[in-house]
Amino acid sequence: MNGPKGKYAWTVTVGEKGQIVIPKQARDIFGISPGDTLILLGDTKRGIAIPPKSDFSALAARIFGEGEE
């Protein structure tokens, strides 16, 4: 499903083992490949987010204060 430019929404089904399949269009848009590690963020009020893998390094740097002395 397409919305405003750069905004997307898809539906997924949770399998018996709690797994989901990321739709092919989403994998293509966000460069997700088999074997990639993703970060899953959750907030009980706002829901679940899976940020692009390119954001992981920046997030880790912020968490660990990289560059601060």
Side-chain angles (χ1 to χ4, degrees):
M1 170 194 306
N2 292 337
K5 185 176 182 179
K7 308 290 183 185
Y8 303 91
W10 295 278
T11 61
V12 298
T13 301
V14 178
E16 291 181 22
K17 294 181 181 181
Q19 298 170 322
I20 62 169
V21 174
I22 299 171
K24 182 175 181 348
Q25 184 185 25
R27 294 191 314 265
D28 290 346
I29 289 170
F30 294 102
I32 299 169
S33 300
D36 283 352
T37 299
L38 304 176
I39 183 169
L40 183 79
L41 304 175
D43 181 301
T44 57
K45 293 182 182 177
R46 297 179 66 192
I48 294 173
I50 305 173
K53 62 184 177 183
S54 59
D55 289 351
F56 183 74
S57 294
L59 177 62
R62 287 180 57 196
I63 290 170
F64 295 112
E66 186 173 301
E68 295 179 8
E69 304 260 345

